[in-house]
Amino acid sequence: MDMKAVVVTDFAALPEIVDLPTPEPGAGEVLVRIHAAGVNPFDWKVTDGALKGSVVHEFPLVMGSDGAGVVERTGPGVTRFRPGDRVYGQFMRVSQGQGSYAEYTLAEQDAKIAFMPEALSFRLAAALPTATVTAYQAVQAARIADGHTLLINGGGGGVGQSAIQFAARAGARVLATGTAGLADHLRDLGAHTVIDYTRAPTHEQVAATYPEGIDAVLDLVTPAGGDISPMTGLLRPGSILVSTNYATDPDALAARGILGVNLGSRPSAETLTILAELAATGELRIRIDAEVQLADAPAVIARVRAGHVTGKTVIVP
C-alpha cells in the first residue's frame, strides 16, 4: 500500500508531494497513522543540510519532525504501545528517510513519543513537541524564581509564546518582544511588558527601564555567530543568558559572573506527557495560525519560510 508524503530528493531541493510505499514496523517500532504534523523552521534547516556530515541522510527524505496520530501496527518486541493508541512527538529519522509530513511514519517505541490525553486534539498535539519542549526547557535553564525579571527576545514566535506562559507561571516579570499587533495576545499569555522591536532596538528600551540590569534573558533570535552582546549587556552579575541558537560564549560570560547556556531541545516521553496534560486542560495555550492539507504543504512551506509567522502551521492528511 502506498502513502502520500512530502519529500526532498536531495539537500536544498524543493519539497514535492509523492507516493511512497507505506513502511512496515520492524523490531521495537510502531507504525503511526499521522492525523496532523507541525511545521517548524528546523524542518527545512535539515533539508537545507544543517545535519549534513554529522549523520547519514536517506533520500527521498520525508520532511517534518512533529506529529500526532494513532498507532496502526506494532513490530516484534513492542510492549509500550498497542494499535489504537493516540500518540504524539517527534518522528524525524533522517538516516531512514522518515518524517512526519506523511500519511504514515515509523517510530521506535522508546523514542521521543508519548501518549496523548483524550481531551487533546491531534492538531494541537502536533503543534507542541519542538517549540514547546524548547520553551519549557529554556525557562527551566533560566532558573526563574518568583519576582525575577526575564526578557524573552523573540516572544512573538511559537517558542516565545510558550516560554511567556511557563515564565509567568514561575512568577517572573516577563518582558517579551513582539509587534504592536501581537501585544494584547502576548500580555494575555502572561507578558508584563511587550517591547515593540520595530520602534527602537530592544536592548535600548529594556536598558532605559532597567538600568541596573535584569535577572535573565532568553534569546530565541540571535543566530549562531551573531552579535549577542546587546542582550548580554542587559544582565547583571549572577544572572543567566539562555540561547536556543548556540549564540553565546559561556566562558566569556562566566568571566563577568553570568551563566551562559546554549540549549538544544531534548524531548523525552516524560516532558511530552507533562506538556500534553497542560495543553489538554487549557493551562498551556498554543496559537495555530493555519491548518493546511498535505497536498498543499510544499507551497505552504515556501510561504512560511519567506515570512514572519506568529503562530503554528499544522499539516493534515
Side-chain angles (χ1 to χ4, degrees):
M1 181 179 69
D2 285 349
M3 67 174 187
K4 299 289 185 184
V6 177
V7 307
V8 293
T9 56
D10 203 348
F11 292 114
L14 293 176
E16 54 185 298
I17 185 99
V18 301
D19 290 314
L20 292 177
T22 299
E24 285 294 326
E29 293 182 330
V30 295
L31 176 68
V32 177
R33 181 175 182 176
I34 295 293
H35 285 238
V39 176
N40 295 287
F42 185 67
D43 300 342
W44 51 82
K45 290 179 181 177
V46 168
T47 59
D48 284 348
L51 303 179
K52 188 177 182 180
S54 62
V55 62
V56 174
H57 292 61
E58 178 72 26
F59 293 100
L61 172 62
V62 179
M63 291 188 68
S65 176
D66 294 358
V70 175
V71 175
E72 186 88 358
R73 292 196 296 278
T74 61
V78 172
T79 57
R80 185 177 167 208
F81 299 105
R82 296 180 301 176
D85 285 342
R86 303 167 82 247
V87 297
Y88 92 109
Q90 292 188 329
F91 296 92
M92 181 182 289
R93 298 201 299 175
V94 296
S95 58
Q96 286 83 25
Q98 296 164 0
S100 62
Y101 295 6
E103 292 179 306
Y104 295 89
T105 194
L106 294 176
E108 296 176 1
Q109 69 167 341
D110 297 324
K112 306 167 186 177
I113 58 174
F115 292 102
M116 287 173 51
E118 287 295 329
L120 184 62
S121 70
F122 291 113
R123 63 195 291 273
L124 189 54
L128 287 174
T130 295
T132 308
V133 167
T134 299
Y136 182 76
Q137 294 178 339
V139 171
Q140 286 185 316
R143 302 180 184 178
I144 295 301
D146 191 38
H148 279 183
T149 299
L150 164 71
L151 168 65
I152 300 177
N153 188 33
V159 177
Q161 290 184 37
S162 290
I164 288 170
Q165 296 173 74
F166 293 134
R169 282 167 56 90
R173 175 181 290 259
V174 181
L175 319 177
T177 61
T179 59
L182 267 180
D184 288 343
H185 175 62
L186 299 186
R187 279 192 288 265
D188 190 44
L189 293 178
H192 180 271
T193 302
V194 178
I195 300 162
D196 185 352
Y197 56 86
T198 67
R199 186 172 61 84
T202 296
H203 67 283
E204 292 181 5
Q205 296 185 62
V206 174
T209 306
Y210 299 91
E212 295 182 0
I214 60 176
D215 299 293
V217 170
L218 171 50
D219 191 306
L220 311 171
V221 176
T222 307
D227 182 11
I228 203 169
S229 61
M231 296 295 107
T232 62
L234 298 172
L235 293 164
R236 54 175 172 246
S239 56
I240 298 176
L241 171 64
V242 180
S243 167
T244 58
N245 294 317
Y246 289 78
T248 192
D249 183 342
D251 292 337
L253 288 178
R256 295 176 45 201
I258 297 170
L259 175 63
V261 179
N262 288 312
L263 181 136
S265 177
R266 293 178 177 83
S268 66
E270 180 183 10
T271 301
L272 289 168
T273 300
I274 292 170
L275 299 181
E277 292 291 346
L278 290 173
T281 59
E283 294 182 68
L284 172 65
R285 293 155 56 193
I286 305 297
R287 176 170 171 164
I288 296 177
D289 277 351
E291 181 176 315
V292 301
Q293 298 295 311
L294 188 64
D296 299 324
V300 170
I301 292 165
R303 288 202 298 271
V304 174
R305 287 192 68 159
H308 180 71
V309 294
T310 57
K312 297 293 295 185
T313 297
V314 173
I315 298 169
V316 295

